Amino acid sequence: MGELQGRTVVITGAARGLGAALATSLAEAGCNLVLCARNLAALEAQADGIASATGRRPACIAMDLAESENVRQAVETITSAHEHIDLLINNGAMWLEARDEPLPAETVLGVINSAVTGTFLFSQGLLPLLRRSANPDIVTIGSVSGLANAMLDGVSVPFYAAKRGQTAIAEGLRQMLSGTPVRSIILHPPDLDDIQPGEPAWAEAPGRAKSARATNRDVVEAVLFAVTRPRNVSLSIVLDADHGGVFPG
């Protein structure tokens, strides 16, 4: 991962789960990080841990992807502090499982706006900084829920629809940015076990059987693989698994 040394990376949804695992792994690869999430206290704690391990403390920005004005302010903050960014990881989105009772309008709007509206506006706002990079990439963390013929499999209809929209944004950006140096890459993971670098489960992950659930480490390794391919290669990766995958029909 030496080729990632010194790259400036912006990660949304970075306070916990997959976003935290991505932040730690990219910091270990030598990247300079800008971490974004709704919970600033959790972000600061994550940044403290990274600083202790690597000697480089990420910048932290509180941002709610479901609030367009909040997204605009975050873009403005990043733009004022950086001449360029090399990698944007659109990981932030609101999870919403299926439930029997009707969903409140504000909940539905939050799920759709964070995954679709917020993802697009944030990517659009940071495009000028990405265009100034020698190796600019946008990586969107989608879901197998965003694929055609995917099973609903316990997720709510708004989440299912939001992930379809997020997939369309990544594909639309790929087409829009054709002929430019900026790549749009998307990963579609299934349900994940939440493990973090340094935990025993992280070290044990490569030895799992095929029937085992996917983990954060699988997605982190897929991201690292995708962004270190030759610049003429842009990937769309489905991380399928026996438990929580793609409907075969």
Side-chain angles (χ1 to χ4, degrees), residues 119-217:
T119 294
F120 176 74
L121 291 176
F122 197 56
S123 300
Q124 177 179 254
L126 294 181
L127 261 179
L129 293 183
L130 283 159
R131 292 181 186 276
R132 297 175 193 163
S133 168
N135 301 283
D137 288 321
I138 301 171
V139 174
T140 300
I141 306 299
S143 166
V144 292
S145 293
L147 298 172
N149 299 319
M151 296 179 289
L152 200 59
D153 196 25
V155 306
S156 66
V157 171
F159 178 85
Y160 190 77
K163 284 299 180 178
R164 291 284 182 95
Q166 204 172 43
T167 298
I169 286 172
E171 171 60 19
L173 287 172
R174 186 189 67 79
Q175 295 186 39
M176 185 184 84
L177 296 168
S178 177
T180 79
V182 186
R183 296 187 298 189
S184 177
I185 295 165
I186 187 164
L187 277 67
H188 299 284
D191 291 338
L192 300 172
D193 284 340
D194 183 10
I195 62 175
Q196 296 295 318
E199 296 178 352
W202 189 272
E204 295 164 2
R208 291 161 299 148
K210 173 179 173 289
S211 59
R213 281 169 53 90
T215 73
N216 290 344
R217 178 168 175 170

Side-chain angles (χ1 to χ4, degrees), residues 222-246:
V223 170
L224 295 175
F225 174 80
V227 300
T228 53
R229 292 313 88 205
R231 297 302 303 173
N232 65 318
V233 176
S234 184
L235 299 176
S236 173
I237 301 176
V238 177
L239 290 86
D240 202 2
D242 285 355
H243 293 285
V246 181

